[in-house]
Amino acid sequence: MSTRLFNHLPIKSLNGVGLALEAKLQKLGINTVYDLLLHLPLRYENRAITARIADVYSGQTISIEGHITQRQIITSKRRMLICTITDGTGVAALRFMHFNAGMSQGMIPGNRIRAYGEIKQGKYGPELIHPHYRLLSHPQTTPTDEDRLTPIYSTTDGLSQTVLRKLIQQALQLLQQYPIDEILPIPLCPWLPAIDAALSTIHYPPTDIDPLLLEQYQHPAQQRLIIEELLAYQLSMQFIREDERKLQAYPLNATGRYMTPFLTQLAFTPTAAQQRVTKEIKLDMQQPYPMMRLVQGDVGSGKTLVAAMAALLALENGKQVALMAPTEILAEQHYHNFKAWFEPLNIEVDWVSSRLQGKTKQAKFDAIANGQISMVIGTHAIFYEQVQFKQLGLVIIDEQHRFGVDQRLNLWEKGRDQQCYPHQLLMTATPIPRTLAMTVYAHLAISIIDELPPGRTPITTVVIPNTRRLEIIERVKQVCLSGGQVYWVCTLVEESETFEAQDAENLATELQHHLSSIQVGLIHGRMKANEKQQIMLDFKQNQIQLLVATTVIEVGVDVPNANLMIIENAERLGLAQLHQLRGRVGRGSAVSNCVLLYQAPLSKTAQARLKVMRESNDGFIIAQKDMEIRGMGEILGTKQIGIADFKIVDLVRDQAIIEQVQQLAHYLIKHQPHHARILVDCWLPYREKYINA
Ligand code: ADP
Ligand code: MG
């Protein structure tokens, strides 16, 4: 059978898969036999190791073996089968709530039994509830499956490990009967086993396998799958990029009509990095296919100005520009900035929000549709409301890691004018190490703003226990009285927005009580948009000196006069988030400080993480450390496609092979493009929607 046919063999072609089972498998994302084979074990249990009953302890998962001393069925509260066994060192009980006559009759006192499960401390000694068990009526000569590592899979309600395991065995047999063609360029990676051998090893480890290799994902069988998956992911990204190159866009040639007066009126000069990145954008936008560029720049590096300059390039060509930001507060702030920058140039700037209603809304939409408004700013309301553009030339997404790919593509699609797509500029402050960027952003061109605007003094960060609050409050007072401004961020992790708002309110009251000479403001997610807007404005104009806030101010907010930030429960936040929050200060020339308050005692990890914050102001270093301490998924957020969905790849663990995989990708595309497509099809069969986007 050819590879392609095998890949598409529906799951119901396996024996015993009826409608009900099919539905359950589909819940796990398994539609084809191949999907099932790629449903890889989460971990393995080692049932071959037998412990002495005297040695077992509560919580341990292990096998025990012994003679049955007693078998009883209790009928009091709940029917239960209890089988007591001994191995000479101690006595243990096997307890079954669900059982049938066959089971109880099989447990004949005197016979040997072997059981595997988690040890609980029962009234009369160790107990195993519903263990896996096997009667050892005959002396065992050949190894059985119990002597192998047992794979454990993620599953869903009503689908047992046993059923899953049996189905996978069936699929493996099918694979043996119809071996699929080799699609990797094996001469380049000769140490890798064939795919069928690799899958068989992983689902049904041979008895002599080294469990440590498996545990560390170092077994060649696992390496094969890791390489395949990474390769498939990278290839899919390259296909996206290739496909996008086949699309058309209006080439936009800068005239300088707006740019020249804009730069003259601007209060500062763009940094060399801002200029370089703008030039890269300019070259992209001159192409007849859509730009797909990601600008990475640390918090405070001045991405907004780059966005503005990119916007001007499009506006000079008579095109419209849409700028999408993840929060209302940020969209609002961008609106004010762009209005101040662009209105003197006679460019009509306006905003869109889900709050718009009735006639105002209609009037605004009409003005966008007929091209009267040329620069539109907003949250995701830009795409989900019925906004239609006249000729959208550029889409800018700020803090792109906050958006899902579909949201982004949606806006892009909205801007399509027959065959022509808008150019796209994405911006993010979440720097990731280069090898990872190669994988995660393989479909994007990347520009890096590696320089902060001049005159910034680095933020000094201190880590202080909550018990020293009063000192901090005193410090706040000093800062405010000497003309500075302060954010006090109140965070509750895992609690509701309501609790968080309540907490922030209490904190504001408490602080106002201590600081009667200072104007304390409050902002949180439960407030109405216009209230938030007013508070931010008051803070910006220094009507408010101390702003108590929830993490609603996490991204983008820019008030250069603010020079002290206090973050509560800092130990509970991720480093990326702390860095973003802290980035709200240090935007002016005054010395800025950040106080990370924590609730003692701190765990080792928390100590390590807060130390990173104290020692570095560099988002890039922080991201790398964060990743080392916590793993990748959390940094990127689950919204990034693919990232959370890897079946076997772990970008941190597998970093070292990323470069090699890149070479394989080039080779395949050049010499075996047909295999490249098959590989993507195997691992990411449901990605079409993105690929053709
Ligand atoms: P971020 O990259 O975090 O989005 P912003 O665009 O908000 O950063 O810029 C941070 C601050 O730096 C703003 O107050 C902005 O006006 C200022 N800024 C940006 N570029 C320059 C520059 N070239 N010179 C001086 N200040 C600048
Ligand atoms: Mg920003």
Side-chain angles (χ1 to χ4, degrees), residues 300 302-304 330 333-334 398-399 427 429 555-557 584 587:
K303 292 183 289 294
T304 318
L330 187 48
Q333 177 186 290
H334 280 323
D398 194 16
E399 309 289 351
M427 304 199 290
V555 287
V557 170
R584 300 309 116 221
R587 296 180 159 248

Side-chain angles (χ1 to χ4, degrees), residues 268-271 274 298-305 453-454 456 558 560 587:
F268 39 75
T269 321
T271 60
Q274 283 169 325
D298 208 347
V299 183
S301 61
K303 292 183 289 294
T304 318
L305 179 61
R456 298 272 173 86
D558 183 47
R587 296 180 159 248

Side-chain angles (χ1 to χ4, degrees), residues 269-313:
T269 321
T271 60
Q274 283 169 325
Q275 288 178 28
R276 173 175 42 78
V277 171
T278 308
K279 204 158 144 196
E280 287 163 358
I281 293 169
K282 189 165 154 183
L283 288 176
D284 279 358
M285 289 178 34
Q286 287 168 359
Q287 304 305 319
Y289 50 85
M291 164 170 80
M292 280 287 276
R293 185 168 286 276
L294 173 72
V295 172
Q296 282 189 332
D298 208 347
V299 183
S301 61
K303 292 183 289 294
T304 318
L305 179 61
V306 169
M309 293 194 285
L312 290 177
L313 295 175

Side-chain angles (χ1 to χ4, degrees), residues 545-557:
Q545 286 84 47
L546 169 58
L547 183 60
V548 175
T550 59
T551 47
V552 291
I553 57 140
E554 177 183 342
V555 287
V557 170

